[in-house]
Amino acid sequence: MTTNRIDLLGDVDEQGRDATYEPTSPWWLSGTPLEAEHHRLMRRRPVSIPWSATTAGALTDAARARLAGTWMRRSEAEYLAITTFSVLAIDLVAANAPADVISLCLRAGIDEVRHAEMCIRMAEIYSGKRQLPPPGMSSLPDDPSRPKLHQALANTMLVSCVSETYATTVLSATRDLTTDPTAQAVLTSIYSDEVMHARLGWSYLRHAIEIGGAGVIEAAAQMLPIALRGVANVVERERPVGEVTDAVRAHGLMTPAEERVIYSSCVREVLVPGFEALGIPVGTSVADYGDVWAHAS
Ligand SMILES: [Fe+2]
Ligand SMILES: [Fe+2]
């Protein structure tokens, strides 16, 4: 008996590949026909990273170890960010968010896959080892008793408005001192996506206020200190051991003290004015992350 069967699990298909696309971390792929579709998704924003231009070979072992540690941490954060946007998408669907907000949120998760791939490859460049971030997922605040709109906007504030907006400010400052061409291109590529990830949140927040009125403003005001603290916890986290020398800085790394100052000015100059423009009371936000906090380390 002959059957017309679909080849559900064939060899890796050459279709969908092209000569100009180089998989970022090919050893992290499945080895199945999905790879070609994955390439299509990852090519969506064509940025060519000059991988072979890396100047890592000129660094000392200590500098390479420090950089491998940081790029590995970054890969962990990007990997978790995939799940952050997946969970946020659930909240947005539950709240009947507009289609453009939902699709951009899901696409942001795909962007984070690409960011994870790039950071994993950067870590490999410095360490010489093929290492994946540990398995895991991010947990977002979940209060089933509150209105779905409030739940969605609270997590949007945390994930997108505060976290991604801070990411754009710290990435742009880090990029400014990075001279290694590979690190520079990777940071630039990630930065350009994070700008859209931040815009997604500010746009949804404005929309939520338009449809939800005073209740939304109140929910946003309650969430603000929690969201600011959530990102401050990341800024305050211990760093990989090793000195941040000028050589290390040239490959995309700042000191924790510098990052505190950037977060402080991001709160004062970007986040607080943004929330105020939407009519959200900001309480003691500026004072909480003022000079005392910025210079505490
Ligand atoms: Fe990212
Ligand atoms: Fe992002």
Side-chain angles (χ1 to χ4, degrees):
M1 191 179 74
T2 55
T3 49
N4 276 334
R5 67 179 185 91
I6 304 167
D7 190 6
L8 289 176
L9 201 59
D11 294 329
V12 177
D13 193 350
E14 288 303 312
Q15 221 187 356
R17 297 197 165 179
D18 69 38
T20 60
Y21 181 75
E22 180 201 0
T24 305
S25 294
W27 54 271
W28 188 26
L29 297 173
S30 64
T32 72
L34 296 185
E35 282 190 18
E37 285 301 326
H38 177 71
H39 294 172
R40 278 198 197 98
L41 286 170
M42 294 301 119
R43 273 203 313 254
R44 187 184 51 76
R45 284 204 203 141
V47 253
S48 76
I49 307 291
W51 295 110
S52 56
T54 179
T55 57
L59 295 168
T60 62
D61 287 350
R64 289 176 75 119
R66 182 68 180 79
L67 285 157
T70 288
W71 283 99
M72 202 59 223
R73 285 272 183 96
R74 286 178 182 162
S75 80
E76 291 165 20
E78 301 289 0
Y79 186 74
L80 283 182
I82 305 168
T83 70
T84 307
F85 282 105
S86 310
V87 175
L88 183 60
I90 294 172
D91 284 336
L92 290 169
V93 173
N96 244 328
D100 49 348
V101 176
I102 297 172
S103 70
L104 281 171
C105 179
L106 289 165
R107 200 187 74 183
I110 293 174
D111 293 337
E112 304 298 359
V113 177
R114 187 173 55 247
H115 299 175
E117 283 184 305
M118 289 194 286
C119 293
I120 285 167
R121 182 156 180 181
M122 288 300 281
E124 184 185 350
I125 283 174
Y126 296 106
S127 72
K129 292 190 204 113
R130 293 183 167 180
Q131 199 186 341
L132 289 179
M137 61 178 286
S138 61
S139 66
L140 294 181
D142 183 17
D143 178 357
S145 67
R146 77 210 306 204
K148 298 295 185 202
L149 179 65
H150 296 184
Q151 167 73 20
L153 84 92
N155 280 337
T156 299
M157 284 176 70
L158 171 63
V159 166
S160 177
C161 301
V162 177
S163 183
E164 293 282 352
T165 302
Y166 170 63
T168 63
T169 57
V170 75
L171 277 166
S172 121
T174 308
R175 204 177 48 148
D176 285 348
L177 52 86
T178 304
T179 54
D180 175 77
T182 311
Q184 242 264 350
V186 167
L187 291 170
T188 302
S189 172
I190 294 178
Y191 167 82
S192 68
D193 289 334
E194 310 298 28
V195 169
M196 184 51 77
H197 298 177
R199 196 170 290 156
L200 159 77
W202 292 101
S203 304
Y204 181 64
L205 193 53
R206 194 184 75 182
H207 168 83
I209 290 168
E210 276 166 12
I211 63 168
V216 163
I217 296 276
E218 201 184 313
Q222 276 176 20
M223 186 61 189
L224 182 57
I226 301 167
L228 292 176
R229 180 41 33 213
V231 177
N233 287 343
V234 177
V235 179
E236 290 169 2
R237 224 161 63 119
E238 283 297 308
R239 304 304 153 101
V241 277
E243 206 188 335
V244 181
T245 57
D246 283 347
V248 163
R249 292 162 74 78
H251 288 252
L253 218 151
M254 278 190 170
T255 64
E258 285 171 308
E259 286 181 22
R260 272 183 176 251
V261 171
I262 290 170
Y263 185 59
S264 173
S265 42
C266 176
V267 170
R268 187 179 59 248
E269 292 163 21
V270 185
L271 297 173
V272 160
F275 290 120
E276 278 178 331
L278 291 169
I280 297 165
V282 296
T284 58
S285 302
V286 171
D288 292 348
Y289 300 98
D291 281 348
V292 175
W293 183 86
H295 300 288
S297 71

